[in-house]
Amino acid sequence: MKPGSKYYPLFSHLQTSGKAEVTLSFADIETLLGSPLPHSAVERKNWWSNRDTPAALQAGAWVGAGYHVYSINIDSKTVVFRKFEAQYNIEQKDGKIVWQQDAIRALRKHMSLTQMEFAEQMGVRRQTVSEWENGVYDPDRSTAKFLELIAKQANFIVPSPENP
């Protein structure tokens, strides 16, 4: 989410909260935004969905900050955001990550990058990242070594089965 965006103050507030769960009233959110919420936000739960699409700029604020709307109460005008923690099945062999779809997606998400941004860092097309993440094919050996280097630089640590 870009500074200057209408919902950037909400994004920033959530991102810096350091809490697993954040409850805000509609009034709190309006104070952060410096403007009233749209009528659809006050009247309809679906405005608060977790769909991060160009048509739903507001969702980009909490999804981009690593949260999902856990509950919304239109009557009491409160929303509960919870830290989103995706579960990935990351295989390891001889202490090294096997760079398959879940490992690649987890690394990209850990780095808070879009597929396009990750592709630029890897020097590949966005389509290639998508194909890796969807299991169409796995990266070749030299790319896997590059992924290992990027993972190390990003402090991407996969807990071992003995030490979750």
Side-chain angles (χ1 to χ4, degrees):
M1 173 142 291
K2 294 180 181 176
S5 164
K6 177 178 181 174
Y7 296 100
Y8 185 81
L10 176 59
F11 164 82
S12 181
H13 178 79
L14 291 170
Q15 192 176 46
T16 59
S17 76
K19 297 178 183 175
E21 184 173 290
V22 177
T23 302
L24 295 171
S25 69
F26 291 0
D28 294 334
I29 296 170
E30 290 174 336
T31 299
L32 285 170
L33 301 179
S35 64
L37 285 165
H39 291 295
S40 52
V42 178
E43 297 169 1
R44 297 197 309 263
K45 285 186 175 186
N46 66 348
W47 189 88
W48 297 95
S49 76
N50 293 309
R51 67 192 186 287
D52 185 14
T53 64
L57 293 175
Q58 73 277 10
W62 53 82
V63 172
Y67 287 82
H68 277 176
V69 170
Y70 177 72
S71 67
I72 177 74
N73 188 318
I74 297 292
D75 295 332
S76 69
K77 299 185 180 332
T78 57
V79 60
V80 178
F81 299 96
R82 276 203 183 155
K83 219 31 164 152
F84 176 73
E85 295 293 331
Q87 298 294 320
Y88 297 103
N89 181 20
I90 300 175
E91 188 180 329
Q92 293 186 57
K93 186 175 182 183
D94 300 326
K96 295 213 180 260
I97 296 170
V98 177
W99 291 104
Q100 294 174 332
Q101 61 191 67
D102 270 2
I104 294 166
R105 182 177 289 114
L107 173 60
R108 178 177 65 80
K109 296 279 189 180
H110 172 78
M111 296 172 71
S112 300
L113 298 176
T114 64
Q115 284 185 343
M116 187 65 174
E117 293 165 336
F118 190 69
E120 288 170 3
Q121 183 145 7
M122 292 295 301
V124 299
R125 299 172 306 125
R126 187 215 50 86
Q127 178 78 24
T128 301
V129 173
S130 175
E131 290 169 348
W132 290 339
E133 290 186 1
N134 288 302
V136 174
Y137 65 90
D138 295 331
D140 64 26
R141 202 165 160 184
S142 63
T143 303
K145 288 185 179 195
F146 188 47
L147 283 163
E148 199 69 45
L149 177 64
I150 288 174
K152 188 174 186 177
Q153 290 173 341
N155 292 321
F156 180 68
I157 299 164
V158 178
S160 64
E162 308 86 53
N163 300 320

